[in-house]
Amino acid sequence: TVEADAYVAALDVPGAQRLLPQAWRRFKQFDNIYELEGVPVITVQLRYNGWVTELQDPARRDRVGASHAESAAGIDNLLYSPDADFSCFADLALTSPLDYFKEGEGSLMQVVITPPEKGAVSGENYFAMLNDEIVRRCDAQVRELFPSARGLELTWSGVVKIGQSLYREKPGMDLYRPDQKTPVPNFFLAGSYTKQ
């Protein structure tokens, strides 16, 4: 038994559907979660030896150092593009430096491909590809979006394929999204499917 002041269920849609006790479905907020559908997603991380989104100053783009403050440069935000197979992306070394900045290294781009069965621009099925091909394509698209990155070296990559993750956004589904505060005392929901 675990006792705490608050309990937070930070899960995707299928995880919430598995975790919630059937008895809680008597609450409309929890029952509505079973109307939501998870969609597949592929997350790709690409580490470079410089700063991918530094567009103004080539010297800053190439500067990697011991601290985030002395070397990090570029766009510190979640970004979207209609010109790539990934729908959204961010440089985690900039947006979450405590977790992802590494001394002597540059950008850690995380790109999200959803739906992966049909790339937004290419129409290609990323789920059917080997990880090396996914990395090659994403790296090429990052360099196309940010020409300043063309001279950088890709030093590491990782690919994660998830069969059901984010909730499927489609007309009429917003009314099924639960609030984060629930009718169960001290129990909260967190995830992309919740109203925030």
Side-chain angles (χ1 to χ4, degrees):
T1 303
V2 175
E3 292 188 26
D5 293 332
Y7 302 88
V8 178
L11 303 163
D12 56 16
V13 170
Q17 292 169 342
R18 283 191 305 272
L19 173 80
L20 295 174
Q22 286 298 309
W24 287 9
R25 289 190 74 171
R26 72 180 184 273
F27 299 110
K28 184 176 170 112
Q29 180 178 351
F30 292 129
D31 194 50
N32 282 347
I33 293 171
Y34 293 86
E35 299 296 325
L36 300 174
E37 178 186 352
V39 296
V41 65
I42 296 176
T43 301
V44 182
Q45 290 187 340
L46 308 165
R47 176 72 76 175
Y48 294 89
N49 67 341
W51 302 101
V52 168
T53 63
E54 173 51 56
L55 306 175
Q56 305 299 318
D57 185 349
R60 286 200 71 196
R61 180 200 65 212
D62 296 334
R63 186 178 349 159
V64 292
S67 75
H68 181 264
E70 78 179 39
S71 65
I75 301 171
D76 177 3
N77 211 334
L78 178 64
L79 304 168
Y80 298 88
S81 175
D83 301 319
D85 283 337
F86 42 85
S87 54
C88 63
F89 58 102
D91 184 341
L92 297 181
L94 294 174
T95 60
S96 303
L98 292 176
D99 295 319
Y100 297 105
F101 175 82
K102 288 192 175 182
E103 181 179 336
E105 298 185 18
S107 291
L108 178 60
M109 299 298 293
Q110 178 164 293
V111 305
V112 178
I113 305 168
T114 188
E117 306 91 344
K118 185 174 182 182
V121 173
S122 71
E124 296 288 333
N125 183 350
Y126 277 75
F127 256 161
M129 293 179 195
L130 296 174
N131 288 356
D132 288 347
E133 179 62 13
I134 294 170
V135 167
R136 186 191 68 73
R137 287 173 179 252
C138 290
D139 177 44
Q141 291 175 61
V142 165
R143 293 172 192 276
E144 186 66 26
L145 290 172
F146 295 98
S148 57
R150 291 181 184 160
L152 299 178
E153 178 186 340
L154 178 65
T155 60
W156 175 88
S157 62
V159 176
V160 176
K161 297 178 182 180
I162 303 171
Q164 287 190 321
S165 179
L166 304 172
Y167 85 100
R168 184 176 305 280
E169 295 176 341
K170 58 185 179 182
M173 298 309 293
D174 201 54
L175 64 103
Y176 297 111
R177 295 176 66 197
D179 288 326
Q180 293 180 329
K181 185 176 181 182
T182 73
V184 175
N186 301 328
F187 182 79
F188 301 88
L189 297 171
S192 65
Y193 65 95
T194 62
K195 291 181 183 174
Q196 300 171 22

